[in-house]
């Protein structure tokens, strides 16, 4: 296990001017728990990427339905107009539905809002993290099991865990909480059938105890890092901001260790 940790250990403090990683994929999930859409770019809004978790499925009692209860939601594939993610596109009253937003947990980020994501506007995962996990699994899993907003490459596995402040296309993103995983990653997004992996494998090296966070020990597994966007707090600074595939990520501040990162 010590050898495993050495693969993704990261130095602390401020970084050099060289990018820490590069954005390789961007995903949005217009309807919570339904299939995601891979896009080349996504404009920033006050609640995350435009259209991300703007709608959700509810039952006859008005309660939310997610893949935790109805795995076959993974088979529902939303579509958006081809220009809906252009940075200057302005919808009319007849072309979109406005929903109430909600505040993220103030214990982790004050004043930020999200739509129907589980708690935070952005989830970042590195290709290195997925590759390392897949080396430990009998059957490799695609990234869609983990439903990130931003997939990056070029950094060591689990580097994203320690990214406290980053700049992405001159936009400030703050890593505020390790992403604790529910049963959704165990659901095959092509068939809607749940299994036991990757949770069984993650329990071996991605728990609080394994990450030397014994004082916390919430009996959860972690994969990915939740982020908020500083510019989203102000309409004036948010206007025109967009994230694109190929954008470099510069890490300005890092958490000293997993024990210091919130979860």
């Amino acid at each position: 296990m010590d050898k495993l940790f050495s693969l993704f250990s990261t130095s602390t403090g401020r970084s050099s001017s060289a990018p820490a990683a590069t954005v390789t994929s961007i995903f949005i999930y217009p309807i919570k728990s339904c299939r995601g859409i891979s896009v080349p770019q996504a404009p920033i809004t006050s609640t995350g990427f435009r259209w991300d978790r703007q709608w959700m499925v509810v039952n006859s009692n008005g309660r939310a339905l997610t893949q935790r209860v109805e795995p076959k939601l993974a088979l529902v594939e939303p579509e958006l107009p081809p220009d809906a993610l252009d940075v200057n596109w302005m919808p009319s009253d007849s072309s979109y539905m406005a929903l109430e937003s909600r505040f993220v947990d103030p214990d982790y980020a004050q004043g930020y809002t999200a739509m129907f994501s589980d708690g935070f506007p952005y989830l970042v995962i590195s290709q290195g993290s997925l590759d390392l996990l897949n080396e430990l699994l009998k059957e490799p899993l695609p990234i869609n099991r983990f439903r990130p907003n931003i997939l990056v490459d070029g950094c060591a596995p689990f580097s994203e865990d320690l990214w406290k402040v980053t700049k992405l296309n001159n936009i400030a993103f703050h890593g505020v909480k390790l992403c604790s995983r529910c049963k959704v990653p165990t659901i095959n997004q092509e068939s809607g059938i749940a299994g036991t992996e990757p949770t069984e494998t993650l329990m071996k090296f991605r728990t609080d105890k394994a990450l030397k966070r014994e004082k916390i020990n919430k009996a959860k597994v972690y994969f990915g890092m939740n982020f908020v966007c500083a510019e989203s707090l102000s309409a004036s600074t948010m206007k025109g901001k967009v994230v694109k595939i190929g954008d470099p990520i510069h890490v300005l501040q890092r958490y000293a260790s997993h024990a210091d990162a919130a979860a």
Side-chain angles (χ1 to χ4, degrees), residues 107-129:
D107 289 340
Y108 298 97
Q110 290 278 347
Y112 290 91
T113 57
M115 294 301 290
F116 297 121
S117 54
D118 276 343
F120 298 89
Y122 304 96
L123 174 61
V124 176
I125 295 176
S126 72
Q127 185 66 46
S129 300

Side-chain angles (χ1 to χ4, degrees), residues 29 31-37 57 65-78 144-145 147 184-194:
Y29 308 87
I31 303 176
K32 182 178 177 68
S33 268
C34 294
R35 188 165 297 181
I37 301 174
V57 179
L65 284 180
T66 70
Q67 287 190 35
R68 301 179 187 90
V69 177
E70 185 47 76
K72 288 191 179 297
L73 282 173
L75 305 181
V76 179
E77 186 173 359
N144 67 4
R145 286 290 191 100
R147 303 176 69 82
V184 171
T186 70
I187 300 171
N188 186 315
Q189 298 296 294
E190 303 302 322
S191 68
I193 298 173

Side-chain angles (χ1 to χ4, degrees), residues 3 9 17 21 37 70 78 90 150 158 161 169 179 213 220 232 261:
K3 182 178 180 181
S9 60
S17 59
I37 301 174
E70 185 47 76
M90 296 297 293
I150 300 175
F158 302 107
D161 290 358
N169 196 14
C179 184
R213 298 164 53 86
K220 296 181 178 180
S232 68

